[in-house]
Amino acid sequence: MGAISVQWTLNETAGSTISVAKGLIRAASSDNIQALALIACQAFGATLAICPETCMKVERIAGMHHQSAAVKFLKAQIGYSSGDSAAQLSLDASGVRFLGLAAALGTLGAFQGARALESMLANSAQDKKKQPLPTVMQLKDLLSALDHKLNRAGFAESLAGWGIWFTNNPLLSAEERTALGLQIAASPEEVEQLVKALGELARLGDATHVTVTVGVAAPWVTAFIKWSLGMPPSMMLKDGTSILDQPGCNLTLVVIPARGFFGKMEISISRHMGTPAEIIEAPSGQENWTGMVSVRKYARHRLQRLEMHSGLAKRAILQALPYAVKQASSLLQPEDLTKYDQDMKPLWKHDRENRVVYDLNVKQHLPEELADVAGNMFETDSVLSLALSEFMDVEIATLLPTLPEGTLISDLPLVTLYRNSVKEKCKCVDCAGVSASLYKSCIWKGTLEAISSLVADVLAISLLDCTESVLVYIKSPFHNNLPHLFNESVYAVLAEGKPTACFVEGVIDWVLGLVGHDGSYTEENWIMSSYRGQTFYPRLFETETLQKTGLLVMSGAPGVLRYDEQVYKKATSARFERRRMAGTPNTITSRLSTVPVKGPLNLLSKHSIKWQVTVGDNLLYVALLSTASSATFNPFAVICAAIKSLYIEDCPHSPDAPLAKADEFAAYTSPYFPWGEGNKKPTKLGVVPVHGNEGLRMLSLVAGIPGVVQLNACLQCSLDVCRKANYAFVVDGRFCDE
């Protein structure tokens, strides 16, 4: 660690080294932030005590400038820029130290972090009257711009670990452990005083020992001290009981959780023998910390909060989850929302409901013999078991176990014991059986809801296909705890063991929430999002390949989304959709009407799909179309149709086998109207002749109406399944022998 200054000034950065200032200004322009904020924070870094280990970590992370992935369907890139603010700050020691601080401030939220930073800059400037200073909002923008890289630096991972350490500590009472598990962050005032004290401790000849007395923010303060000094402090309770002894450490943390939310942090700085210690006080915070962590750390954090991290509860969870994940993935029936608040329903859904061929319940009426050909939102057992193994940090069998007929997870031996122990404490009318408990909520029901949320998390993690280890978001424990569509569906499956409707929008919203993205239901459907240093989008759009399982899998990569050299947070369907065209182009219709259905064909071999991207205000609008027409469509409709479609993966015949004779009751149709033209109920079964053209096969589902998708089976078997299932059309096979 280099020399640590007491004060900072812009002269040392902007005046003496013009090339550095130019680089900082260029980086500020790249990230659309104020150059003053970047230059001031780079200079301020000289006053910070950040250990070499942390400096090396943030320097490596901040200097990343590679492309993680190319998104073919949007012609966009995901990755890091070599000229962004983080990269520029990583070029010198002062900037690296500031990045170390910024990584910790990110867990407070950009605004609270900016408040702390503004005060620190003002109080440590060399010339407080003449020194120009950035505003809170300018600093907030800077911290937000650094967030996409610094999320991978690991401060939140360490912080979550210390939170778990405190709440597991047997030397603390149950009430103290509960208080320390509330995810309370240090206040901006506490952060400022802590940074100042650590700086004095690191400067030779200043402080000889520092004692910090703290309340419920102890996990955050501990993580920050470890992050800054390279080692955690010695820790003790108010009565002098040692909870962590660190020989050679000249910082002691006194933990008094009983101070609660309204106490004060007290910092005692001892300097020289015979000199009284300086006492500094700062008001405690009431805000929660949040951050991006590994799947394993997230799972440990969640189990801790749910009090399922040890003993019978954990053993019951370990027994239940493999069965529960299997049951949920099998019994959740894919649907898409038909009701939207305040007339927010996308236009394509209005149009779909007016189609005579549209049957909302077509998949529910599927004959039992065809159950195995139904599409599945989720992945295969092998992928689910990998996600579950990572989540629980134990080895899970590749083939997930199935519950015996008529059995619920609450009937499993360890879960039964756990349920009985929970019910003994419950005072609800069902568990206690007394009228006085009529208005008490059931503790076991709440426990089963918690288990359902863990199952929902595992299913969501299985849907994330990232080029690097995915990070998930620890949110505030008080963040929007209202019932969620996806969790409600999982709960219904686990509680009743019956097939249950599960809305695709709900699943996507849960997955995006898990990685800290916004996926709210609006008239503009989600296509892609890029927040907190990770970008995700439907794998189906990138591969353009319809397959039976994993239809909601999201491809992803670390970094920001760049399109045409600009950074965007989100891509959605077009804000204003156009009504569908009157019919298929005449050149295509005339050709289709003259060819009898005799076998697999590609009558549209000269055409392909296209993606249209329109730039909006910090977002992209995306539409799907083809080379045959200028009519645009909402891509999200493809997903909603794909999850309810049937997939004929195999049959005894060759996929290219012709029909024994022409099918007089079937007709070739276009991808735009796969069920046939006009508003009347079709008299013939539709067959979309796009054999081997994956893009046009996907386009065939763009009305949001499911069909039968021919994979490695022959056309005749696909037609037979289509008629048995009462579906309106078949999408010709994926292999082309032309």
Side-chain angles (χ1 to χ4, degrees):
M1 188 187 301
I4 298 172
S5 304
V6 177
Q7 296 177 316
W8 65 276
T9 176
L10 290 185
N11 292 334
E12 295 177 5
T13 299
S16 61
T17 312
I18 296 174
S19 61
V20 173
K22 285 183 177 178
L24 290 168
I25 292 170
R26 194 179 304 115
S29 300
S30 170
D31 287 333
N32 197 27
I33 60 174
Q34 290 293 321
L36 175 60
L38 190 57
I39 295 170
C41 288
Q42 189 267 352
F44 170 65
T47 69
L48 299 173
I50 304 293
C51 70
E53 177 190 357
T54 296
C55 286
M56 288 173 63
K57 191 179 297 183
V58 295
E59 182 179 3
R60 179 182 61 82
I61 293 290
M64 293 188 300
H65 57 271
H66 62 277
Q67 178 177 300
S68 301
V71 186
K72 292 184 294 184
F73 77 99
L74 285 190
K75 294 183 173 61
Q77 299 81 39
I78 302 169
Y80 305 103
S81 169
S82 59
D84 63 13
S85 300
Q88 186 62 38
L89 285 167
S90 71
L91 295 179
D92 75 357
S94 296
V96 169
R97 288 180 191 170
F98 170 73
L99 289 171
L101 174 64
L105 293 179
T107 60
L108 307 182
F111 179 69
Q112 290 294 96
R115 282 187 57 212
L117 192 52
E118 180 200 36
S119 184
M120 286 187 276
L121 285 169
N123 291 329
S124 61
Q126 185 169 305
D127 190 338
K128 296 179 176 60
K129 293 182 179 180
K130 296 182 179 180
Q131 183 69 70
L133 296 171
T135 66
V136 170
M137 298 312 294
Q138 290 169 351
L139 293 169
K140 174 178 175 287
D141 290 342
L142 173 59
L143 291 178
S144 297
L146 300 174
D147 181 69
H148 74 282
K149 283 184 174 178
L150 296 184
N151 272 325
R152 290 193 170 267
F155 179 77
E157 184 88 3
S158 173
L159 172 54
W162 281 109
I164 294 167
W165 184 86
F166 273 104
T167 51
N168 275 340
N169 197 308
L171 296 174
L172 297 166
S173 68
E175 293 78 9
E176 288 174 328
R177 291 198 298 269
T178 299
L180 291 168
L182 291 174
Q183 271 182 245
I184 302 300
S187 68
E189 295 82 4
E190 287 176 313
V191 173
E192 179 182 5
Q193 297 305 327
L194 195 57
V195 167
K196 181 181 177 182
L198 294 176
E200 290 206 35
L201 199 60
R203 284 191 295 271
L204 294 176
D206 280 13
T208 58
H209 193 276
V210 170
T211 301
V212 179
T213 303
V214 68
V216 290
W220 195 96
V221 172
T222 305
F224 185 74
I225 292 170
K226 167 70 166 63
W227 187 253
S228 300
L229 300 184
M231 65 185 300
S234 295
M235 285 186 264
M236 64 174 64
L237 301 179
K238 184 180 181 181
D239 61 4
T241 302
S242 174
I243 56 176
L244 182 64
D245 187 27
Q246 290 287 92
C249 181
N250 49 3
L251 193 150
T252 301
L253 189 69
V254 180
V255 181
I256 310 178
R259 287 190 173 209
F261 299 104
F262 304 106
K264 292 183 178 180
M265 173 190 281
E266 183 180 285
I267 300 177
S268 173
I269 303 175
S270 301
R271 291 191 171 84
H272 303 289
M273 291 286 291
T275 304
E278 179 185 358
I279 306 296
I280 303 170
E281 291 185 342
S284 297
Q286 300 180 42
E287 302 287 335
N288 295 114
W289 62 262
T290 60
M292 303 296 290
V293 299
S294 66
V295 169
R296 286 184 174 86
K297 190 59 65 71
Y298 170 85
R300 288 187 63 197
H301 175 84
R302 285 222 61 205
L303 290 170
Q304 190 84 31
R305 288 204 57 80
L306 296 171
E307 297 183 356
M308 297 176 177
H309 60 288
S310 62
L312 178 60
K314 184 169 184 180
R315 292 172 60 210
I317 293 300
L318 284 171
Q319 184 181 61
L321 283 185
Y323 289 96
V325 169
K326 176 69 173 181
Q327 187 181 44
S329 65
S330 303
L331 293 182
L332 289 173
Q333 301 298 303
E335 296 289 347
D336 60 280
L337 280 177
T338 55
K339 294 182 180 179
Y340 280 70
D341 293 334
Q342 300 176 347
D343 296 323
M344 301 290 275
K345 184 183 292 187
L347 180 59
W348 69 268
K349 291 196 174 187
H350 285 290
D351 285 349
R352 180 183 64 177
E353 289 164 7
N354 294 326
R355 302 289 177 189
V356 293
V357 295
Y358 177 62
D359 179 1
L360 177 64
N361 301 312
V362 64
K363 196 171 181 182
Q364 296 176 13
H365 300 148
L366 199 64
E368 190 173 338
E369 63 187 277
L370 299 180
D372 287 341
V373 302
N376 197 321
M377 298 180 286
F378 305 110
E379 278 283 19
T380 59
D381 270 17
S382 60
V383 177
L384 291 172
S385 66
L386 285 174
L388 185 55
S389 296
E390 184 177 16
F391 190 82
M392 296 303 296
D393 200 15
V394 294
E395 190 72 26
I396 303 292
T398 302
L399 189 63
L400 295 177
T402 303
L403 286 168
E405 181 104 15
T407 304
L408 302 174
I409 64 162
S410 56
D411 298 322
L412 294 167
L414 291 175
V415 182
T416 299
L417 291 173
Y418 180 44
R419 180 191 62 191
N420 292 341
S421 70
V422 170
K423 280 179 168 287
E424 286 176 3
K425 306 171 189 174
C426 185
K427 302 299 181 183
C428 80
V429 67
D430 291 330
C431 296
V434 292
S435 58
S437 301
L438 184 60
Y439 300 108
K440 294 280 187 180
S441 59
C442 180
I443 299 177
W444 172 247
K445 181 182 177 183
T447 302
L448 190 58
E449 287 174 346
I451 295 173
S452 302
S453 72
L454 295 175
V455 173
D457 279 346
V458 173
L459 290 173
I461 289 165
S462 74
L463 294 176
L464 294 169
D465 181 18
C466 196
T467 59
E468 294 183 26
S469 297
V470 68
L471 296 181
V472 292
Y473 183 55
I474 293 182
K475 56 176 73 75
S476 164
F478 308 110
H479 171 81
N480 188 12
N481 290 321
L482 296 173
H484 191 282
L485 287 173
F486 185 35
N487 197 32
E488 287 181 331
S489 297
V490 175
Y491 173 82
V493 167
L494 301 189
E496 301 173 16
K498 299 176 182 177
T500 303
C502 179
F503 298 111
V504 58
E505 287 93 337
V507 179
I508 289 174
D509 185 65
W510 188 279
V511 177
L512 294 178
L514 191 65
V515 292
H517 290 210
D518 172 28
S520 55
Y521 323 130
T522 67
E523 77 278 17
E524 302 157 12
N525 290 128
W526 172 84
I527 303 297
M528 176 184 280
S529 51
S530 180
Y531 293 93
R532 305 183 194 280
Q534 294 179 132
T535 303
F536 291 97
Y537 51 93
R539 183 175 68 184
L540 175 59
F541 293 166
E542 185 70 357
T543 63
E544 300 176 359
T545 301
L546 295 169
Q547 54 189 39
K548 180 182 168 184
T549 60
L551 289 164
L552 292 188
V553 169
M554 297 182 190
S555 294
V560 296
L561 170 65
R562 287 186 180 274
Y563 176 79
D564 198 20
E565 300 302 319
Q566 298 297 314
V567 174
Y568 294 92
K569 291 288 188 185
K570 184 186 283 190
T572 71
S573 59
R575 174 169 290 183
F576 303 108
E577 297 177 48
R578 296 178 180 177
R579 290 283 177 182
R580 298 199 68 185
M581 58 184 179
T584 302
N586 291 333
T587 53
I588 295 177
T589 304
S590 58
R591 188 178 184 196
L592 295 176
S593 61
T594 60
V595 181
V597 176
K598 295 190 298 183
L601 286 174
N602 185 356
L603 297 179
L604 287 84
S605 57
K606 295 181 180 179
H607 297 289
S608 60
I609 64 166
K610 297 193 301 183
W611 294 87
Q612 178 179 290
V613 181
T614 306
V615 174
D617 183 8
N618 198 30
L619 59 81
L620 301 172
Y621 295 112
V622 181
L624 183 61
L625 65 161
S626 82
T627 56
S629 168
S630 61
T632 58
F633 304 96
N634 187 326
F636 195 80
V638 172
I639 295 176
C640 293
I643 61 171
K644 299 180 75 172
S645 292
L646 307 181
Y647 297 82
I648 319 303
E649 294 183 298
D650 203 5
C651 76
H653 318 110
S654 166
D656 298 316
L659 304 185
K661 63 175 183 177
D663 192 327
E664 299 293 337
F665 300 97
Y668 286 125
T669 53
S670 78
Y672 311 106
F673 295 93
W675 58 86
E677 304 286 341
N679 294 321
K680 294 182 179 180
K681 191 173 181 71
T683 57
K684 293 186 176 184
L685 196 66
V687 177
V688 186
V690 288
H691 198 68
N693 190 323
E694 294 293 349
L696 291 182
R697 279 157 55 79
M698 188 177 75
L699 187 70
S700 303
L701 302 180
V702 82
I705 297 176
V708 172
V709 181
Q710 179 190 352
L711 297 177
N712 295 342
C714 71
L715 180 58
Q716 183 62 65
C717 288
S718 301
L719 289 167
D720 292 344
V721 169
C722 194
R723 290 183 168 114
K724 288 179 183 178
N726 198 30
Y727 274 54
F729 61 91
V730 171
V731 181
D732 209 341
R734 66 163 52 146
F735 295 104
C736 186
D737 229 2
E738 293 183 347

